[in-house]
Structure formats: structure tokens, C-alpha cells
């Protein structure tokens, strides 16, 4: 929610959805419970939200998927559902896709000139996204008219409508951003795609300085303009949002667990006897 509010304040984005994608069971992290439980807990945590959804695709794969693969999956899924060619952070200049201005004097062509009502519009595209995937990405506000080449571009179909630049962004804490600086931990080609093509929204954690972190990585420095740091001006530090602290609070019977988790999730954990050791 804080990341969404910040993106709205920048005036550059309208956030129309958020995706929570629990990692595959074979990820190998110590203490990782079954994805069956993690999916349920995430669903309980966002059940009151009208814009965040939990996606099971990553959990349902045969093995662990890289972050890059997950982002590409959602981008491809969005493309299929909307019929749009989704734009990366750096829109290619050789193909007339969303976000690339075209010559206003160029001729506008429709598949059926007698059926103008079928022309795609911002409302129709976003409505289709909402109906099929329940608000799952970011979109820039309409600005001016652009040329759009649709999925049937091989048939010579060109349509014009208000700019709709759909984008999938990776939301993470500054601790994940800092992991990009650890030699050998991330595949460099994946990092290029994640930061260079998608972009990252970073929430500072535990007083970490994202600018300092970015200066320690050549790839992060290279694509610094694609990294959006959420400035949290409230008195509620984002470091409180921590799955590790939540598990520790449960294991030690700490009543402050209510500061980290909503009651439906706590009830499910207690019922399923998750994370609770013998002394707890």
C-alpha cells in the first residue's frame, strides 16, 4: 500500500494492481513451510484488498523459478490477456509499440472502418485486464495519442488510441536490492533484465540507504533511473514488515506478533501449528 501511494504521488504511474507470488517449495530456505500453507496465509492477508491478489503460478511449477522468469511470465500473461504489446522500461525505438510517439500525420488504419466502436480504448483495455486477471500491473496515465501495433500486426493492422503503457515492476525491500551486490549470487543476465527491462520499486528497510547500495553495483548504477525508492514519511517504519520477525515472535510466544500479522493469518498459523516450537 505504501509503495502504491508513493508511485501515485510521483504522478508517473497509476497502480491498478499488485501480485503476491510465493516462492516454490524447492527454493531451499531454512524454515520454509509448504507452499500450500504459504498460499493460504497470503490469501488471508489480502482478502480485504480490492487490488492485491495472490498468484500460485510460481508455486505450481515443477521446480524453483528465478525472479526474472516470474516477471517474464506475468508480462507474457498480461500481453496475452490484453492483446497489447507490453512496453519495457526502455521502449525499443525500432518497433511502434505502446509508449513510442509516431508521426501524427500518418494514416490511421482499422480492420473494419465501419465498426469504429471496436477501436481499443484505455477503458476497454483496463476493463479486460480487470475482468481476466484482477488488476495486476502498473499503467501510466493517458497523455496523448500514440500508434499501437496489435497482436495481428502481421496482417498490417494498425490502431490508434490513448497511450496505455502497461508495466510489471518488481517490488522489494532494500535487503533484496543489497543482495544484488553480492558477487555470484545473481545471474548478471537476469539482473540486466530485471533492472533494465522491468524496473524495481524499493522499500527501505532497517535504515538502509538504497543510494549507497546502488553505488556498489555497476548494473544498479547503470539502470539507476529504473529504480524507484519509496520515501516513507510516516512514523511507522517499514522495517516492521518482516516475515523473519513474524516467525520469531510466534516461536517465542511474543504478543507483539499482532504488530506483524493480521488476525486471520495468526488464527491459521495456530490452527495449523506452523512455526511454533515446543517451548512456544
Amino acid at each position: 500500500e505504501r509503495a502504491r501511494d508513493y508511485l501515485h504521488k510521483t504522478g508517473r504511474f497509476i497502480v491498478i494492481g499488485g501480485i503476491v507470488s510465493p516462492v516454490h517449495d524447492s527454493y531451499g530456505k531454512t524454515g520454509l513451510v509448504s507452499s500450500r500453507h504459504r498460499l493460504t496465509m497470503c490469501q488471508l492477508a489480502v482478502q480485504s484488498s480490492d487490488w492485491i491478489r495472490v498468484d500460485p503460478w510460481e508455486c505450481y511449477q515443477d521446480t524453483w523459478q528465478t525472479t526474472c522468469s516470474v516477471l517474464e511470465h506475468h508480462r507474457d500473461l498480461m500481453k496475452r490477456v490484453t492483446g497489447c504489446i507490453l512496453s519495457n522500461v526502455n521502449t525499443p525505438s525500432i518497433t511502434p509499440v505502446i509508449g513510442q510517439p509516431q508521426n501524427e500525420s500518418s494514416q490511421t488504419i482499422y480492420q473494419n472502418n465501419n465498426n469504429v466502436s471496436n477501436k481499443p480504448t484505455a477503458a476497454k483495455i483496463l476493463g479486460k485486464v480487470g475482468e481476466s486477471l484482477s488488476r495486476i500491473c502498473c499503467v501510466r496515465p493517458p497523455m496523448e495519442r500514440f500508434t499501437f501495433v496489435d497482436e495481428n500486426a502481421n496482417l498490417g493492422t494498425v490502431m490508434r488510441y490513448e497511450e496505455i503503457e502497461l508495466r510489471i515492476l518488481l517490488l522489494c525491500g532494500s535487503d533484496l536490492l543489497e543482495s544484488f551486490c553480492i558477487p555470484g549470487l545473481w545471474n548478471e543476465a537476469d539482473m540486466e533484465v530485471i533492472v533494465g527491462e522491468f524496473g524495481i520499486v524499493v522499500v527501505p528497510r532497517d535504515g538502509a540507504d538504497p543510494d549507497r547500495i546502488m553505488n556498489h553495483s555497476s548494473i544498479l548504477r547503470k539502470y539507476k533511473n529504473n529504480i524507484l525508492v519509496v520515501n516513507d514519511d510516516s512514523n511507522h517504519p517499514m522495517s516492521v514488515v518482516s516475515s523473519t520477525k513474524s516467525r520469531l515472535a510466534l516461536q517465542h510466544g511474543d504478543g507483539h506478533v499482532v504488530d506483524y500479522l493480521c488476525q486471520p493469518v495468526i488464527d491459521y498459523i495456530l490452527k495449523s501449528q506452523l512455526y511454533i516450537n515446543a517451548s512456544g
Side-chain angles (χ1 to χ4, degrees):
E1 286 86 354
R2 293 174 188 271
R4 179 187 63 168
D5 292 345
Y6 174 76
L7 289 175
H8 285 174
K9 287 178 182 178
T10 67
R12 295 174 54 194
F13 300 92
I14 298 173
V15 178
I16 60 173
I19 305 169
V20 177
S21 181
V23 75
H24 192 274
D25 284 341
S26 63
Y27 179 59
K29 183 175 181 178
T30 303
L32 191 69
V33 300
S34 166
S35 59
R36 173 175 62 88
H37 291 306
R38 290 183 286 111
L39 282 168
T40 301
M41 287 187 286
C42 288
Q43 288 164 348
L44 289 171
V46 303
Q47 63 183 351
S48 62
S49 175
D50 61 356
W51 66 281
I52 305 174
R53 71 182 184 89
V54 180
D55 190 282
W57 179 84
E58 187 175 354
C59 288
Y60 288 171
Q61 300 311 295
D62 292 335
T63 186
W64 169 75
Q65 301 293 306
T66 64
T67 300
C68 186
S69 297
V70 176
L71 290 169
E72 289 174 335
H73 160 74
H74 287 291
R75 180 176 62 187
D76 293 343
L77 181 61
M78 183 77 69
K79 175 181 174 180
R80 292 198 301 271
V81 169
T82 64
C84 293
I85 297 176
L86 268 69
S87 178
N88 293 331
V89 174
N90 303 306
T91 303
S93 59
I94 58 174
T95 306
V97 296
I98 299 174
Q100 179 180 338
Q102 300 295 304
N103 191 329
E104 284 296 330
S105 63
S106 62
Q107 183 181 4
T108 302
I109 303 173
Y110 301 102
Q111 279 183 302
N112 184 349
N113 289 326
N114 297 322
N115 190 7
V116 179
S117 63
N118 286 333
K119 184 175 71 170
T121 64
K124 289 180 181 178
I125 293 293
L126 295 186
K128 192 173 183 181
V129 174
E131 291 171 5
S132 304
L133 294 179
S134 180
R135 304 182 180 90
I136 61 177
C137 66
C138 296
V139 59
R140 290 175 62 184
M143 297 167 64
E144 53 183 294
R145 301 185 76 79
F146 285 73
T147 296
F148 167 74
V149 177
D150 71 3
E151 294 273 38
N152 297 316
N154 59 319
L155 302 178
T157 303
V158 179
M159 299 184 179
R160 298 181 67 77
Y161 69 105
E162 294 143 8
E163 178 193 21
I164 298 294
E165 184 182 334
L166 298 174
R167 291 246 319 260
I168 303 290
L169 301 172
L170 173 64
L171 173 64
C172 68
S174 53
D175 48 344
L176 186 143
L177 186 71
E178 193 162 20
S179 72
F180 281 11
C181 303
I182 301 175
L185 183 62
W186 288 80
N187 180 290
E188 287 202 8
D190 282 1
M191 288 177 62
E192 286 273 354
V193 173
I194 292 170
V195 191
E197 294 187 12
F198 288 94
I200 303 179
V201 181
V202 181
V203 177
R205 303 279 293 275
D206 295 320
D209 182 358
D211 287 328
R212 178 189 59 80
I213 294 172
M214 285 185 268
N215 287 332
H216 279 77
S217 165
S218 60
I219 292 179
L220 295 181
R221 286 197 305 271
K222 179 180 178 181
Y223 297 109
K224 191 172 183 178
N225 290 337
N226 296 343
I227 302 174
L228 299 155
V229 180
V230 177
N231 293 319
D232 185 48
D233 297 326
S234 72
N235 293 323
H236 184 231
M238 292 306 298
S239 58
V240 170
V241 182
S242 167
S243 57
T244 300
K245 290 182 179 180
S246 300
R247 289 191 296 271
L248 289 174
L250 286 163
Q251 290 169 3
H252 294 94
D254 186 349
H256 287 95
V257 69
V258 295
D259 296 333
Y260 310 118
L261 303 174
C262 63
Q263 193 60 49
V265 174
I266 295 174
D267 293 341
Y268 180 84
I269 290 172
L270 294 175
K271 180 181 178 180
S272 304
Q273 291 293 291
L274 304 176
Y275 310 118
I276 303 172
N277 56 28
S279 63

